[in-house]
Amino acid sequence: MTVRTRFAPSPTGFMHLGGVRTALYNYLYARKMGGQFILRIEDTDQARFVEGATEVIYDTLKACGLNWDEGPDNGGPCGPYVQSERKDLYLPYARQLVESGHAYYCFCTEEELAGRRQDAEKRGETFKYDKHCLHLRPEEVQARLDRGDPYVIRLNAPTEGVSTYVDEVYGEMSFPNDTLDDMVLIKADGLPTYNFANVIDDHLMGITHVMRGAEYLSSTPKYNLLYDALGWERPVYVHLPTVMRDSQHKLSKRDGDA
Ligand code: GLU
């Protein structure tokens, strides 16, 4: 097996030292194993896009000598390596998941969701989508799609049992399934969420080892549901402890950390 690692930053803020650390580990492991290191830009969240952030990613990696074997500028067999340039390839996978019962169309509006979120907060609960649209009759779903109603596609996460996987750093990780939310896979603008595109691309790009920040440990069970539902092999997971600004705060792109 050829090892393939990737650094997959979102240009939602300027790259900081934590990002460099993630890139370094991916780079070093690929080099040590005689594999490939891939750069992929995850820019499907247009609302949070920060002008100039992509250039900082390229410049920083180059300045640190973390040269990528495949990426937006030098291409490769799995290109393009910028998600907004791949935007049409995700929807068919989401539809496949709808057909197999692992995902469903949701027509709830932002306002409806905001109302239900508020209600949950009043009850002191964390809001989780209540699977309202999972229970729509197929004819109604079709009629609404035909009518052109805006929709998103959501993961149909199990509500019982436990999801388990092994992380190379943290060991066996277990999460009760009732803590997993029915995350959005395809947004109302037709673009995939980061959560969905990330899995599809890691598979299509043949990524064998996923090394990223530990903040993704709790999302990984949902990614695994996607791998399993699509019949794809899960990658090896290597979550890296958070780089801290001080004893309380992690480094954050949103806060403009160095
Ligand atoms: N696009 C994500 C970020 O910038 C990376 C997540 C991942 O490596 O899977 O935080």
Side-chain angles (χ1 to χ4, degrees), residues 7 9 11 13-16 19-20 23 37 39 41 51-68 72-73:
F7 180 50
F14 296 113
M15 185 159 162
H16 56 55
V20 177
F37 170 56
L39 173 63
I41 302 295
E51 200 62 49
T54 313
E55 289 66 35
V56 173
I57 294 167
Y58 297 144
D59 293 350
T60 308
L61 293 178
K62 281 183 190 153
C64 296
L66 303 178
N67 302 318
W68 51 94
D73 52 345

Side-chain angles (χ1 to χ4, degrees), residues 6 8-10 12 40 42 194 198 202 210-212 215-216 253:
R6 65 8 174 222
S10 303
T12 52
R40 181 174 76 228
E42 303 207 314
Y194 148 73
N198 180 272
D202 280 343
V210 165
M211 298 186 202
R212 61 178 166 219
E215 62 270 30
Y216 293 101
K253 276 190 282 202

Side-chain angles (χ1 to χ4, degrees), residues 161-165 173-180 217-221:
V162 176
S163 288
T164 302
Y165 68 94
M173 302 297 298
S174 286
F175 296 84
N177 287 336
D178 64 5
T179 62
L180 309 180
L217 277 169
S218 61
S219 304
T220 299

Side-chain angles (χ1 to χ4, degrees), residues 68-212:
W68 51 94
D69 302 304
E70 297 168 29
D73 52 345
N74 52 348
C78 310
Y81 293 86
V82 178
Q83 285 183 334
S84 58
E85 294 171 20
R86 303 166 65 78
K87 60 180 170 18
D88 296 328
L89 71 80
Y90 305 103
L91 187 57
Y93 291 106
R95 292 211 172 112
Q96 186 184 328
L97 291 168
V98 171
E99 265 157 43
S100 62
H102 295 97
Y104 59 96
Y105 292 99
C106 170
F107 302 93
C108 293
T109 63
E110 286 296 334
E111 295 73 47
E112 286 166 342
L113 294 175
R116 281 184 245 163
R117 185 170 292 120
Q118 260 181 5
D119 293 345
E121 277 162 15
K122 272 189 215 143
R123 294 193 302 270
E125 295 167 9
T126 335
F127 176 73
K128 197 176 130 197
Y129 184 68
D130 55 5
K131 292 188 185 276
H132 176 267
C133 289
L134 176 64
H135 307 296
L136 295 177
R137 282 175 298 112
E139 312 83 71
E140 188 178 346
V141 171
Q142 197 52 52
R144 295 182 77 157
L145 292 175
D146 293 346
R147 205 160 65 200
D149 283 5
Y151 67 83
V152 302
I153 298 181
R154 288 182 183 275
L155 174 72
N156 182 14
T159 51
E160 285 168 8
V162 176
S163 288
T164 302
Y165 68 94
V166 175
D167 180 85
E168 295 301 310
V169 175
Y170 288 83
E172 188 172 296
M173 302 297 298
S174 286
F175 296 84
N177 287 336
D178 64 5
T179 62
L180 309 180
D181 63 319
D182 284 5
M183 65 177 180
V184 173
L185 307 178
I186 300 286
K187 296 178 284 181
D189 61 6
L191 287 176
T193 54
Y194 148 73
N195 287 309
F196 189 49
N198 180 272
V199 168
I200 302 296
D201 283 348
D202 280 343
H203 173 76
L204 295 180
M205 295 182 178
I207 302 302
T208 56
H209 293 68
V210 165
M211 298 186 202
R212 61 178 166 219

